[in-house]
Amino acid sequence: MRLFENKTKNTATILLSVTVLLITGCLKESRDTASTEPEAKASITFVAAEYSSTTKPYFESIVREFETLYPNINVELQVINWDILDSAYTTMISRNQPPDLLLTNIYAHFAKDGLLNKMDDIVSTELKNKMYPYLQDSTKVDGTQYTIPYVSTIRQLYFNKDMFNEVGLTESPKTWQSLEEDARIIKQTKQIDGFGVDLTDNEIWAYLSYFFYGAGGGWMKNGEWAINSPENVEGITFLKNLYDKGLTDSEPAVTTRDEKQRILGNGQLGMLISGNYFETVVPSEYPGLNWGKGPIPVKEGQTPLVLGVEDVLMSFKTNHTNKEALSTFLDFLYEDARYEQFVLREGVLPTTRTVGDKLAAADPSMKQNLDAIKTAKFYPINHPAWSAVLNATRNMGQTVLLGQLSPKQALDRLQQIALDNQD
């Protein structure tokens, strides 16, 4: 998901062009790397996903500060809404104008096509040593590291605590059976939708993951694609049955998770699954909302589910690639104080130990989330076929909900797409 595969976002694409100033002999920040600041003028194009209304001003300030300190490195920044980010950078690549640095959530197909620089050639030893080891597996393709994790989240079930109290519910549902029962109680008692589901092209792959893993399945098994496994079919069948019984919201394939968060904030929805950034974004927009949280419900007998999501930074090969300048910029971007500011503003989880350990010591909720992500399931973003699979899910929600394809037929189709694109 995207990591968030979306958050509360502005709808416009924001472009900031930073003027080049050439000044020689500038001091360089101390770093645990043998390289020195480039002597010649360097250029970096940086395309970043927009997580919220705070993302643009944050990265703008970072670029201004960086160019003041390193005036012989020019950074051209674009902060782009998640909804159009994929099409924006795809257009850049098709025109042979890829960004030097891209922050998004899929990458392996680019590595397969030879478009990416190896991060081992760019990232300083100091920065490598700061990263949580358990977030590194998904950044490598065939043992080669092509990305570094920028932020992460975990997904949980959030609910309207006042509504639960009013209908006699005391805790969040832990199993599919209790999820169905609680949604029915809310619907019958309050005449309000019990469970919000996002099967739009915005985040359908997240809800597929919740019910794949919740059934004991998953996208892959023993290193092979297993999208049409019996467990996954059972999971999606259960989800469709919830919809058919009127226990989800009425438009899972139309209204996105972010829209459903607003509906929950307005007291018109009982439950939904979202990222931990819910705890920062929604309460600030709906301060009167009394919310609670719990694990993602699973089939009876399955172990509790934690789904983690990572957004990563990658570097494309360009006609002006300057790995030394990129290394300098990445060190600057991940500097503890600056990086901590981004984490707190966006309500995400840090990927560096230095910031994570500090925040966990001060905030029990942060510690709980960082502990949980150590055992989380993740999307298979380091498999080249994932991009094609993800794209193929985008119209699947409406097709399955309307009965145009059965869950088994839809997953058979996804499985074949994965197999066709894995080589």
Side-chain angles (χ1 to χ4, degrees):
M1 191 77 193
R2 52 206 75 155
L3 169 143
F4 316 106
E5 279 118 288
N6 290 295
K7 278 192 65 181
T8 303
K9 316 176 289 287
N10 292 334
T11 59
T13 300
I14 301 106
L15 172 63
L16 173 65
S17 295
V18 184
T19 303
V20 177
L21 296 175
L22 181 58
I23 302 176
T24 60
C26 293
L27 294 177
K28 188 177 189 298
E29 286 186 318
S30 60
R31 303 162 54 220
D32 288 342
T33 178
S35 62
T36 60
E37 183 184 356
E39 295 180 0
K41 179 176 64 177
S43 177
I44 297 173
T45 53
F46 177 29
V47 173
E50 182 183 50
Y51 294 90
S52 73
S53 59
T54 72
T55 309
K56 170 184 175 268
Y58 172 82
F59 281 124
E60 286 179 342
S61 67
I62 288 293
V63 169
R64 284 194 299 267
E65 186 181 357
F66 179 79
E67 289 205 322
T68 298
L69 190 59
Y70 302 104
N72 59 334
I73 303 177
N74 174 52
V75 180
E76 183 179 299
L77 170 71
Q78 295 185 60
V79 181
I80 302 179
N81 183 293
W82 272 114
D83 287 344
I84 59 175
L85 178 63
D86 289 354
S87 62
Y89 66 67
T90 298
T91 298
M92 296 175 193
I93 295 168
S94 68
R95 293 175 177 172
N96 199 28
Q97 297 175 331
D100 293 288
L101 199 62
L102 173 64
L103 171 57
T104 186
N105 52 37
I106 52 176
Y107 77 94
H109 58 305
F110 296 136
K112 174 186 173 184
D113 292 339
L115 300 179
L116 300 181
N117 292 308
K118 298 177 181 178
M119 275 298 181
D120 283 340
D121 297 335
I122 295 173
V123 179
S124 69
T125 301
E126 178 187 14
L127 181 52
K128 289 178 186 177
N129 291 338
K130 286 166 60 169
M131 297 286 178
Y132 283 119
Y134 52 83
L135 295 177
Q136 297 295 307
D137 288 345
S138 60
T139 69
K140 299 176 182 178
V141 177
D142 295 330
T144 299
Q145 186 166 10
Y146 287 102
T147 71
I148 54 174
Y150 187 60
V151 290
S152 61
T153 61
I154 61 169
R155 303 303 177 88
Q156 299 169 97
L157 183 81
Y158 291 89
F159 61 94
N160 185 319
K161 188 178 290 187
D162 288 336
M163 186 182 299
F164 267 47
N165 291 336
E166 290 172 11
V167 302
L169 299 174
T170 59
E171 63 178 7
S172 67
K174 305 296 191 301
T175 65
W176 287 356
Q177 180 179 348
S178 56
L179 172 66
E180 181 173 343
E181 292 172 352
D182 292 357
R184 180 176 290 108
I185 290 172
I186 292 170
K187 184 75 171 182
Q188 292 177 345
T189 306
K190 302 289 291 183
Q191 301 302 305
I192 289 172
D193 291 330
F195 180 47
V197 174
D198 185 350
L199 297 182
T200 71
D201 63 359
N202 198 258
E203 203 183 50
I204 181 174
W205 49 89
Y207 268 82
L208 294 179
S209 298
Y210 304 148
F211 288 89
F212 284 180
Y213 290 122
W219 294 97
M220 308 192 78
K221 184 176 182 180
N222 299 325
E224 303 291 335
W225 289 101
I227 300 174
N228 60 348
S229 69
E231 294 85 356
N232 291 353
V233 173
E234 182 181 11
I236 303 310
T237 300
F238 172 77
L239 183 57
K240 183 181 186 306
N241 288 339
L242 284 182
Y243 170 77
D244 290 341
K245 294 173 182 178
L247 300 180
T248 70
D249 64 284
S250 60
E251 297 182 318
V254 178
T255 56
T256 67
R257 184 204 62 216
D258 289 346
E259 293 171 304
K260 296 181 207 299
Q261 286 183 165
R262 288 187 281 273
I263 295 171
L264 189 148
N266 286 322
Q268 298 300 307
L269 180 64
M271 302 172 280
L272 86 165
I273 301 172
S274 187
N276 55 275
Y277 41 82
F278 177 100
E279 302 170 27
T280 298
V281 176
V282 174
S284 66
E285 296 180 356
Y286 302 96
L289 175 64
N290 183 20
W291 56 271
K293 67 177 179 179
I296 297 172
V298 297
K299 179 185 174 182
E300 289 72 11
Q302 292 297 319
T303 57
L305 169 62
V306 177
L307 182 71
V309 181
E310 274 185 312
D311 290 341
V312 296
L313 283 161
M314 67 203 73
S315 171
F316 284 85
K317 298 175 181 177
T318 69
N319 58 12
H320 59 268
T321 296
N322 188 311
K323 295 179 181 179
E324 199 172 349
L326 285 166
S327 181
T328 301
F329 184 66
L330 288 174
D331 277 353
F332 190 87
L333 197 63
Y334 280 91
E335 188 276 327
D336 287 354
R338 298 184 190 96
Y339 184 56
E340 179 182 334
Q341 182 185 10
F342 184 85
V343 167
L344 294 177
R345 287 169 66 149
E346 300 291 357
V348 294
L349 301 181
T351 59
T352 64
R353 293 178 294 99
T354 46
V355 171
D357 292 352
K358 176 186 175 183
L359 295 179
D363 182 355
S365 181
M366 176 65 77
K367 184 179 187 308
Q368 181 186 39
N369 290 338
L370 287 173
D371 287 342
I373 204 171
K374 294 177 183 178
T375 59
K377 306 286 189 181
F378 287 91
Y379 302 131
I381 65 171
N382 58 336
H383 290 269
W386 174 241
S387 175
V389 171
L390 185 151
N391 286 331
T393 68
R394 294 183 187 276
N395 297 317
M396 179 180 151
Q398 189 80 2
T399 300
V400 171
L401 291 179
L402 295 180
Q404 297 168 342
L405 289 176
S406 69
K408 177 67 163 58
Q409 290 171 328
L411 296 186
D412 282 344
R413 179 177 294 183
L414 284 185
Q415 175 73 7
Q416 190 59 51
I417 290 171
L419 296 177
D420 290 344
N421 287 273
Q422 67 179 349
D423 295 326

